[in-house]
Amino acid sequence: MSRRLPYLLSAALGAAVLGAAPAAHAGAPATPTAPAAATAAPGTQPYASYWYPSTILNWDPATDPDARFNRSRVPLQPRTSDPALKANANARAGEGKVASLVSFGPTSNNPSQGSADPDYYAFGYWQYVDKLVFWGGSAGEGLILAPNPTVIDAAHRNGVKVYGTVFFPPAAYGGQLQWVRDFVQKSGSRYPVADKLVQAAQYYGFDGWFINQETGGGDPALAGELRNLMQYTKDRSSTEFMWYDAMTESGSVNWQNALTPANDTFLQDGGRRTADSMFLNFNWSSGGLDSSRSLARGLGRSEYDLYSGIDTEANGYNTGVDWNALFPAGKPHTTSLGLYRPEWTWKSATDRADFYAKDARYWVGANNDPSDTTTSSDWKGLAGYIAESSPITSKPFVTNFSTGQGDFHNTAGTRTATGGWNNLSLQDVPPTYRWLVSSTGSRLTPSVDFTDAYEGGSSLRLSGTLDAANTIRLYQSRLPVAADSKLSVVVKTPAAGPTGLKAAISFTDAPTSFTTLDLGADSGTGWERHTLDLSAYAGRTIAQIGLRAEGSNPAYDVRIGQLALYDGAVDVPAAPSGLTVLGASDVVAGSSQSLRLSWTASASGNVHHYELYRRNADGTRGYLGATPSDAFFVNRLDRAGSETGTVIEVEAVSTEYGRSTTATTTVSWGGTPPAGTNLALGRPATASGRCNANEGPTKAVNGSVNGGNSDKWCTLTSAKWLEVDLGSARPLSEFVVRHASAGGESPAYNTRDFSIQVRSATTDPWTTVASVTGNTAGITKHPVTTTARYVRLVVTRPTQGTDPAARIYEFEAWGA
C-alpha cells in the first residue's frame, strides 16, 4: 500500500465515527465527565457503555441503569470445519484466521438492543471470521468502548469471539499521554482499570479487548506497565487481548508493520503470554511477513496469532492487497488476516439490495458462489482462501433465515408488526454456503427474501427455471441423529400441490453424498410445515443440510420459512414472570411512550429469546420486539384512541420455537390524547435508497432539522420515495415537508416537484392527496382531510437545477 498509515486508525475514528473533523477534539478535557449512560433516565434509550480510564473506575453495573440492557445471554458456540466440505478448492482450513474490525455506529450512540431502522450493517458471513472487534472510541466521547449485546449475541451464536476497543489517539486527534498513565495506574499490586475491563467483559458477556495505543511521548517504563497490565489480567481471568502494532518497547509510537524485536514482548514476554494476538499495521511486505512468522515460532507462538491488517474502509474490495504474500497459492498461510472496516459494503451501498450484493462480492467473490472465485479482479473474495466454519454442532438447530433486520415482523406466518427494524440478537445462523447450487440443467437462484417470512422479517427464496434436479447446499454441521430425531421444513408455494422440494442431508461417513427426503405436497398457498422422521438414520451424524428441487417448472418460486432439526416433541419453556415497567418517557405526551421493561427469566426450558407484544382491542397482538435477555427497551408504544391502559405481554420462545404462556402488565394512560400530533414522528420509515449510511429514512421522522447536513433523508435512486407507517389508520389534517434549506443547505437543493400519497392497507392503491410543481420554499404545508395508515412522499424533481439528490429533513403527518 502506498500511503503511510501512522494516523489511519485514529483519523478514521476522528472523522468517520464521530462525524466531525479530528481537530474538534483537540481541546478534550483532561478529566472528562462520566458518560451519559451513567445518568440515563429510566424510560430513555439505553446505549452501549463507553468510558475514559478514570470514569470506568466508577462504573458499577448495580448502579448503571443501562447495564442490564447491555448483557449478552448467548454463550460462545463451538465450531466445526471439515476440510472435505470446504466450498472452494483453494481454501485452507485450520490455518490463517480472520479478525474483523467493525464500526457499527458512533461511540456514544450505539443502541443496546437494535432500533426501528432497517438500515443497518447486518453482517452475515460469520463462517469466515474468528474474531470481531467492536470498533470505536474517541478523545471527545470515551476511549474504552464495550460492544453492545446484539453484536455479541450474533457473533457468539456463530462461534465468533467479540472484543471491545481501548483507543489512545495521537495528540493530533486529542490524545493525552495522561490517559495512558491513568490506564496503567496501580493500587498496591493491582491494576484497577484492568480489573474493570475484566468485570465489564464478564458482566456483558464478551471475550476481550483490542488495545490501540497511538499516543506519543511514552518511555520504556510506560510500555512496560502496559505489558504488565495485560499479563496481570491474563493471570487472573480468561479475558483476551489483541495488541495493535503501534507503540514499541521503547515507549515511542513507531509502526513496525511486522513482528520485530521492537514490539515482540507485547505478544510474548519470555515465558509469559502478554497478548493473545497482534494486529500488524497495514504497510507489511512479503519479507516482513516471513520474518514475522519465524519470530513468532521462535517465541513459541503460532504465526496465526499475527493478523496482517488491510484497510478497506475507503475502497472495500477495490483495495490493493498482496494476497500471494499473505495466502500463497498451494502453500500454508503466512499469517492470519486483519480486516479494517469491512462495513464499507454497507456504508457505500445505495440500498439494502446493493449492500447484499457488495457484501457477497467482498466475502465470496464476484460470482456470488464461494466455489467459483475466478475473476479478473485482484480481490477474489475471502472464500477463496479461508474454509468455512460452522457452529451447528448440537441440537436443536432451527433457522428462520432471519438476517437480524426487516421491514415487518411475522410470528408463525402472521403479520404482527409493520415498519422497519434491526436487532442482531434475532439473527439466525446464516447458511454456511452462500450460495452453492449444483444442477445438470439451469441453476435456481437462492436469495434472502425480505417480502415474506414465517418468523421475523425474511425467508429463503428459491426461484428460476427448474428443468433438472437442483441441489442447494446450505449448512455444514455435526449433528448426531437419535431415534426420535425429526427434520421439519416450513415452506410456501404459489399454488397447492407438490412442492417439488426434498430435504437433502449427508452424513459424516459419506459427507459429500446426499440422502433426500420428499416434503410432499402443500394443501394451499400459505405457510405449511412438513415434518420428516429421521429414526432410520439413528446413530449417524449429519454433516450437511440442504434442499433438492426436482421436476419441471419454468417459473419455480418457493419460499422456505423455517428449517429445524430436533429430538422428540417441540419443547415448551416455562413462562417468564414479574413483567415490570422500570420506567417510561413521553415520545408524544398523552399519545406515545418509550418504555424500559424487565421480567424474571423462565424457571425451566431452553429459552432462545423472549418476545414482547401489546394486546389490541380486537384481541390481536402487535409485536414490540424481542431479546434473549430479561430486559428490553420499547422505543415507542402508541396509545390506541383514548384507551386508559395498554396490556403488555412477554412470552418465552424455546430453542425449538415452542412458546410459553405469557406474563402481563398494564401501561396506564392519563388525560385526553392531544388533538393535533405529528403522527409520523419516530414511526417506522422506509425509502427507495440513501446517499450515505447516515442519511437513511429515519432521519426524516426524528423530529430534528438541526443535526447538521446529515440530519436528513437523502437518495440518488432514479425513483425517489419515502414511506412512513403510522401504526394504524389515523385522521390526518396536514402534511409538512421540510426541504434542504430548512436544514441549513442551499435553497437550490429544495425539492421542486413532489407528491404526497396515502393508503390504509398494503393491499390498497396509493391515493394522491397533494401534488406540487415548481416549489422553491424550504418548508411546505399541505392541508388535507383524509384517513390513512401509510403515508408516502414521492419526489419527481429533487432540486431547482440538475443536482440529482433528494434531500428531505422532515416529513410530518399531522392528525389525531
Side-chain angles (χ1 to χ4, degrees):
M1 300 174 72
S2 61
R3 62 173 169 163
R4 188 169 176 267
L5 297 171
Y7 298 136
L8 178 66
L9 296 180
S10 50
L13 286 170
V17 174
L18 294 180
H25 305 298
T31 307
T33 57
T39 56
T44 56
Q45 169 71 61
Y47 293 105
S49 294
Y50 55 96
W51 308 274
Y52 293 90
S54 59
T55 60
I56 196 173
L57 296 177
N58 300 321
W59 175 74
D60 182 349
T63 57
D64 178 356
D66 285 4
R68 186 171 184 175
F69 297 86
N70 283 314
R71 301 191 78 175
S72 170
R73 303 291 184 168
V74 178
L76 181 68
Q77 298 300 304
R79 302 209 290 186
T80 184
S81 182
D82 186 345
L85 296 177
K86 64 184 182 181
N88 195 291
N90 298 316
R92 302 179 73 90
E95 295 182 6
K97 300 176 177 64
V98 175
S100 183
L101 279 59
V102 180
S103 172
F104 288 89
T107 296
S108 58
N109 288 294
N110 275 287
S112 299
Q113 297 172 311
S115 70
D117 187 355
D119 190 10
Y120 193 72
Y121 182 56
F123 176 63
Y125 289 92
W126 300 101
Q127 64 268 43
Y128 302 111
V129 175
D130 295 271
K131 294 180 175 68
L132 182 138
V133 176
F134 193 79
W135 189 249
S138 75
E141 295 175 290
L143 309 178
I144 304 169
L145 176 64
N148 65 25
T150 59
V151 173
I152 305 170
D153 289 344
H156 278 185
R157 196 169 282 131
N158 285 277
V160 174
K161 292 182 177 180
V162 181
Y163 291 177
T165 301
V166 179
F167 172 56
F168 298 105
Y173 300 105
Q176 302 177 31
L177 194 62
Q178 184 59 46
W179 284 337
V180 186
R181 300 193 188 282
D182 290 344
F183 185 72
V184 299
Q185 64 183 289
K186 295 188 72 174
S187 176
S189 61
R190 293 175 48 247
Y191 288 89
V193 173
D195 292 340
K196 285 295 182 180
L197 295 181
V198 172
Q199 182 185 15
Q202 292 178 344
Y203 182 83
Y204 287 145
F206 60 96
D207 307 283
W209 295 93
F210 183 98
I211 308 293
N212 178 20
Q213 202 305 86
E214 295 186 83
T215 306
D219 54 29
L222 184 60
E225 286 301 306
L226 283 165
R227 290 197 302 276
N228 292 342
L229 179 146
M230 288 189 283
Q231 292 167 2
Y232 164 91
T233 304
K234 298 199 68 60
D235 287 345
R236 290 159 175 79
S237 74
S238 59
T239 302
E240 298 184 1
F241 290 109
M242 179 179 283
W243 176 263
Y244 172 53
D245 157 36
M247 188 185 209
T248 62
E249 294 159 20
S250 70
S252 66
V253 174
N254 187 359
W255 294 262
Q256 300 295 294
N257 304 294
L259 182 69
T260 74
N263 64 11
D264 60 358
T265 58
F266 287 109
L267 180 70
Q268 186 74 24
D269 190 5
R272 300 198 69 183
R273 189 180 183 94
T274 306
D276 298 270
S277 54
M278 182 180 288
F279 189 100
L280 304 181
N281 191 50
F282 309 110
N283 287 337
W284 45 266
S285 65
S286 177
L289 295 192
D290 286 341
S291 65
S292 297
R293 173 175 56 191
S294 297
L295 180 53
R297 289 175 174 177
L299 295 171
R301 297 292 293 271
S302 169
E303 59 266 42
Y304 302 128
D305 291 341
L306 305 177
Y307 289 78
S308 300
I310 63 174
D311 169 29
T312 66
E313 180 186 19
N315 295 309
Y317 46 68
N318 299 310
T319 303
V321 179
D322 186 355
W323 292 107
N324 195 56
L326 185 60
F327 299 142
K331 298 179 181 179
H333 296 156
T334 310
T335 68
S336 293
L337 169 66
L339 296 172
Y340 180 64
R341 308 298 293 277
E343 79 274 13
W344 170 88
T345 59
W346 168 62
K347 291 198 170 184
S348 66
T350 56
D351 55 24
R352 185 164 55 211
D354 189 34
F355 159 52
Y356 274 82
K358 285 183 172 179
D359 221 31
R361 172 76 179 82
Y362 189 104
W363 292 95
V364 302
N367 305 315
N368 201 24
D369 178 347
S371 69
D372 179 10
T373 51
T374 55
T375 174
S376 59
S377 170
D378 289 338
W379 190 286
K380 311 299 181 187
L382 275 298
Y385 308 105
I386 304 293
E388 299 83 1
S389 294
S390 170
I392 307 170
T393 59
S394 62
K395 292 173 292 184
F397 166 64
V398 179
T399 177
N400 303 295
F401 302 98
S402 171
T403 66
Q405 62 181 171
D407 301 321
F408 58 86
H409 186 276
N410 280 6
T411 304
T414 298
R415 186 65 47 91
T416 49
T418 60
W421 58 274
N422 73 79
N423 186 348
L424 291 184
S425 290
L426 305 183
Q427 185 188 72
D428 292 314
V429 174
T432 312
Y433 308 107
R434 293 175 59 183
W435 303 96
L436 284 184
V437 182
S438 61
S439 176
T440 58
S442 302
R443 290 198 297 178
L444 295 175
T445 299
S447 62
V448 178
D449 178 37
F450 289 95
T451 67
D452 203 354
Y454 182 68
E455 294 278 354
S458 54
S459 58
L460 173 65
R461 186 176 186 178
L462 302 178
S463 59
T465 299
L466 181 63
D467 53 21
N470 273 247
T471 300
I472 301 97
R473 291 172 60 186
L474 292 175
Y475 292 97
Q476 187 180 149
S477 66
R478 188 167 291 272
L479 298 175
V481 182
D484 59 350
S485 292
K486 297 178 178 66
L487 178 60
S488 173
V489 186
V490 177
V491 299
K492 192 174 194 178
T493 55
T499 61
L501 200 62
K502 296 180 178 181
I505 55 176
S506 72
F507 300 95
T508 52
D509 52 4
T512 60
S513 178
F514 281 99
T515 297
T516 61
L517 300 92
D518 198 340
L519 297 185
D522 273 0
S523 61
T525 58
W527 290 108
E528 295 191 28
R529 182 179 300 276
H530 303 262
T531 302
L532 306 169
D533 182 1
L534 298 182
S535 60
Y537 310 101
R540 302 176 75 181
T541 300
I542 296 175
Q544 290 192 85
I545 306 171
L547 297 166
R548 179 170 293 170
E550 296 180 355
S552 178
N553 188 336
Y556 188 81
D557 193 0
V558 171
R559 290 173 174 82
I560 299 90
Q562 188 183 85
L563 191 156
L565 202 152
Y566 57 95
D567 294 340
V570 171
D571 290 339
V572 175
S577 59
L579 178 59
T580 302
V581 178
L582 297 177
S585 297
D586 283 338
V587 177
V588 178
S591 180
S592 60
Q593 297 179 357
S594 59
L595 305 171
R596 291 187 177 207
L597 303 171
S598 71
W599 55 91
T600 301
S602 300
S604 62
N606 296 315
V607 176
H608 183 269
H609 65 270
Y610 297 89
E611 293 183 356
L612 293 105
Y613 294 87
R614 65 168 296 154
R615 180 64 65 174
N616 299 319
D618 62 1
T620 61
R621 300 194 302 174
Y623 174 81
L624 298 175
T627 177
S629 191
D630 60 0
F632 188 72
F633 172 73
V634 176
N635 72 313
R636 180 163 176 160
L637 177 70
D638 286 319
R639 185 177 189 176
S642 58
E643 66 178 351
T644 58
T646 303
V647 175
I648 306 295
E649 301 177 347
V650 59
E651 68 182 15
V653 181
S654 77
T655 51
E656 297 178 359
Y657 269 75
R659 295 178 180 274
S660 75
T661 55
T662 62
T664 66
T665 192
T666 299
V667 174
S668 298
W669 301 97
T672 302
T677 301
N678 176 15
L679 301 173
L681 180 64
R683 293 300 307 170
T686 54
S688 56
R690 59 182 183 177
C691 295
N692 295 297
N694 61 347
E695 294 176 337
T698 57
K699 290 294 183 71
V701 292
N702 67 356
S704 168
V705 297
N706 300 316
N709 287 352
S710 63
D711 192 10
K712 65 175 181 287
W713 167 63
C714 175
T715 187
L716 287 162
T717 52
S718 54
K720 299 173 174 65
W721 54 265
L722 169 70
E723 182 179 332
V724 183
D725 177 8
L726 304 181
S728 60
R730 309 289 288 271
L732 301 174
S733 58
E734 184 179 49
F735 287 94
V736 178
V737 185
R738 302 184 188 275
H739 306 272
S741 65
E745 295 192 75
S746 169
Y749 295 149
N750 286 338
T751 319
R752 184 174 176 86
D753 301 341
F754 60 95
S755 62
I756 298 171
Q757 302 173 339
V758 300
R759 64 182 179 182
S760 291
T762 55
T763 54
D764 294 341
W766 289 103
T767 299
T768 299
V769 294
S771 183
V772 177
T773 57
N775 172 62
T776 60
I779 300 174
T780 58
K781 298 183 178 182
H782 312 277
V784 297
T785 302
T786 189
T787 298
R789 173 172 177 171
Y790 303 97
V791 297
R792 182 180 176 102
L793 177 69
V794 179
V795 176
T796 50
R797 187 170 175 182
T799 59
Q800 305 299 302
T802 59
D803 189 288
R807 301 166 175 86
I808 302 297
Y809 277 79
E810 282 296 302
F811 180 43
E812 302 171 4
W814 289 81

